[in-house]
Amino acid sequence: MLSEAELNLVTRACQKDTDAFAQLYATIYQDLYRFALYTLGNPADAEDVVSDTVTDAYATIHKLRNASSFRAWMFRILSNKCKQVLKTYLNRPTTTETEPAIPDRNYAEIQDVRDAFMKLTPKERLVISLTVFGGYSNEEAAHSLHIKSGTLRSIKSRAMDKLEKEVNL
């Protein structure tokens, strides 16, 4: 839920107030980037997608009907951008690079989780990114992805089971 000050910023941004939009962007950037990074698994692509999202959002913010929907609207744009990039991944030739062995156990655990996350389907990654990393409720995420709440819960449950099995191997 947006505060009164944030709602005021959204209203001003809808009137093409650049400063207001910049302030809104500052409040949401980390969440957008985290979502894109976990969805795409590539920092450069995540930065590009967030940049494209912000550019498109600024160009079309005057079309936003409900100021309180700003965050969901931003994540819907980002989600669509991520889907487009994921489609390009399918056509990209794969390379096998070996990563240097790093003895840091925390890095290894983090990498195991990331590897397991990248084995999920694109839709499963979107659902997990929205609900776990983005902090959205199942209902909010389902609305953003244009699917039923029950369907989202099923996808999330299967994805979490896959992650648990993969990480515990």
Side-chain angles (χ1 to χ4, degrees), residues 39-62:
T39 301
L40 302 174
N42 180 310
D45 287 346
E47 289 173 10
D48 290 345
V49 167
V50 169
S51 178
D52 288 348
T53 297
V54 171
T55 302
D56 286 359
Y58 181 72
T60 60
I61 194 162
H62 64 280

Side-chain angles (χ1 to χ4, degrees), residues 57 74 158:
M74 288 291 290
R158 283 192 304 271

Side-chain angles (χ1 to χ4, degrees), residues 16-58:
K16 292 295 186 179
D17 183 332
T18 306
D19 291 333
F21 189 84
Q23 289 177 34
L24 287 168
Y25 172 68
T27 66
I28 197 172
Y29 170 77
Q30 285 184 332
D31 293 336
L32 293 173
Y33 178 74
R34 187 178 311 121
F35 175 88
L37 179 62
Y38 278 96
T39 301
L40 302 174
N42 180 310
D45 287 346
E47 289 173 10
D48 290 345
V49 167
V50 169
S51 178
D52 288 348
T53 297
V54 171
T55 302
D56 286 359
Y58 181 72

Side-chain angles (χ1 to χ4, degrees), residues 38 105-120 125 128 132-133 159-160 162-164 166-168:
Y38 278 96
R105 185 169 186 248
N106 290 334
Y107 174 81
E109 288 173 357
I110 291 168
Q111 193 59 43
D112 288 345
V113 172
R114 284 188 180 168
D115 290 345
F117 184 77
M118 293 312 294
K119 290 181 180 178
L120 298 175
R125 285 197 303 264
I128 296 298
V132 176
F133 305 123
M160 293 300 284
K162 286 181 185 178
L163 286 173
E164 185 177 355
E166 192 67 34
V167 172
N168 289 331

Side-chain angles (χ1 to χ4, degrees), residues 92-106:
R92 187 188 307 181
T94 58
T95 60
T96 54
E97 296 179 15
T98 56
E99 294 190 24
I102 299 176
D104 183 4
R105 185 169 186 248
N106 290 334

